[in-house]
Amino acid sequence: MTKSIFHEYRWRTATTADRAVALLKEGCQAVNAYGISLDEKTSTDFAYIVHSDKLKQSQHNNGSNKKKNVKLELYGLALGNSKISCSNPILSSLKYNNTLTYLDLKKNHIGDKGGVAIAAFLYRNNTLEELILKQNQISDSGAKALAKALKHNDTLCQLDLSRNFVGNKGAKWFVAMLKTNSSVTGLALHHNHVYRERILEKLTSLLSRNRQEKNCKRRNRPQCVYGGCKWW
């Protein structure tokens, strides 16, 4: 089994929202904050950091306390099961981020509105390579927004939409997207409502083509298993 991009970073773990914000302000490149509870203040702090490409960090020199801009290099962020709703400012701030390559938002139930916010991020993003949206109550309208955004994105390689509410209509949008997108090589749609064999066969064919062309920036990524029972 090929490793996910998750394993390419040195992750720091936070068990509280305040600790997660502190790690981000320290300039950590990958923060795993799975299961934290984000309130309004910490969500706003997260949103500001994700939005910014620079942070002001304190420097103590000769008894003085000066702040200087430090470039943000946040590459990995895991916020699964963190009570992020579709209106959380973190989602709207993502579209301004240009450093993340791995983003995990599983089990947040962001719904189709959250899917649309993520789509706005994908439309203009050119760094993200792996996106986990497992178990987020995303249905066909959210899938449509994501698929349409990916027509303009040539960076994302892996998308996990397993355990959502995507049906045959939503899957058709991904078929249409893959006809022009050659970077997506992994698409997880198992435990959704995609049952038409013709659609699944077309997804298999198009994703196989993408893997063969090897247009993904990172090589040897795991293959897609859609609608089946396994994931990478």
Side-chain angles (χ1 to χ4, degrees), residues 47-232:
Y48 173 76
I49 294 170
V50 169
H51 177 285
S52 304
D53 62 354
K54 292 181 180 180
L55 291 173
K56 289 188 179 294
Q57 292 186 344
S58 297
Q59 285 195 330
H60 300 276
N61 294 316
N62 299 323
S64 64
N65 186 5
K66 296 183 178 180
K67 292 186 177 182
K68 76 169 187 176
N69 286 329
V70 177
K71 185 173 178 60
L72 176 66
E73 295 182 343
L74 177 63
Y75 301 124
L77 184 59
L79 286 174
N81 196 26
S82 297
K83 300 181 180 179
I84 297 175
S85 68
C86 62
S87 60
N88 191 293
I90 294 173
L91 297 183
S92 58
S93 70
L94 283 170
K95 63 183 178 182
Y96 302 104
N97 180 275
N98 59 3
T99 62
L100 283 171
T101 61
Y102 177 95
L103 178 61
D104 182 352
L105 293 174
K106 62 175 172 282
K107 296 184 179 180
N108 277 299
H109 309 296
I110 62 175
D112 289 327
K113 289 184 178 180
V116 170
I118 297 294
F121 164 50
L122 292 175
Y123 185 89
R124 59 185 296 173
N125 181 265
N126 61 2
T127 61
L128 195 72
E129 296 182 36
E130 190 166 339
L131 175 60
I132 313 297
L133 294 176
K134 174 181 178 180
Q135 204 167 327
N136 265 293
Q137 298 180 345
I138 295 172
S139 67
D140 287 340
S141 60
K144 176 181 177 180
L146 291 167
K148 292 180 73 172
L150 286 174
K151 284 187 175 182
H152 305 274
N153 182 299
D154 60 1
T155 308
L156 192 77
C157 300
Q158 307 289 349
L159 174 60
D160 183 350
L161 277 172
S162 60
R163 296 185 180 277
N164 280 286
F165 302 142
V166 180
N168 294 318
K169 289 183 179 180
K172 284 183 179 179
W173 282 102
F174 286 114
V175 170
M177 174 272 293
L178 287 167
K179 289 180 179 179
T180 57
N181 179 299
S182 59
S183 64
V184 175
T185 58
L187 175 62
L189 285 174
H190 53 277
H191 296 291
N192 277 273
H193 305 294
V194 185
Y195 302 118
R196 290 187 183 175
E197 289 298 323
R198 187 174 181 180
I199 297 174
L200 298 177
E201 290 171 0
K202 192 63 177 178
L203 284 171
T204 299
S205 174
L206 291 168
L207 289 161
S208 177
R209 177 207 67 190
N210 285 359
R211 291 193 297 274
Q212 291 174 1
E213 291 179 356
K214 297 181 179 179
N215 285 333
C216 192
K217 288 184 178 180
R218 298 177 183 269
R219 301 300 186 230
N220 300 319
R221 288 299 173 76
Q223 75 175 54
C224 158
V225 179
Y226 55 83
C229 60
K230 61 179 180 176
W231 176 233
W232 57 68

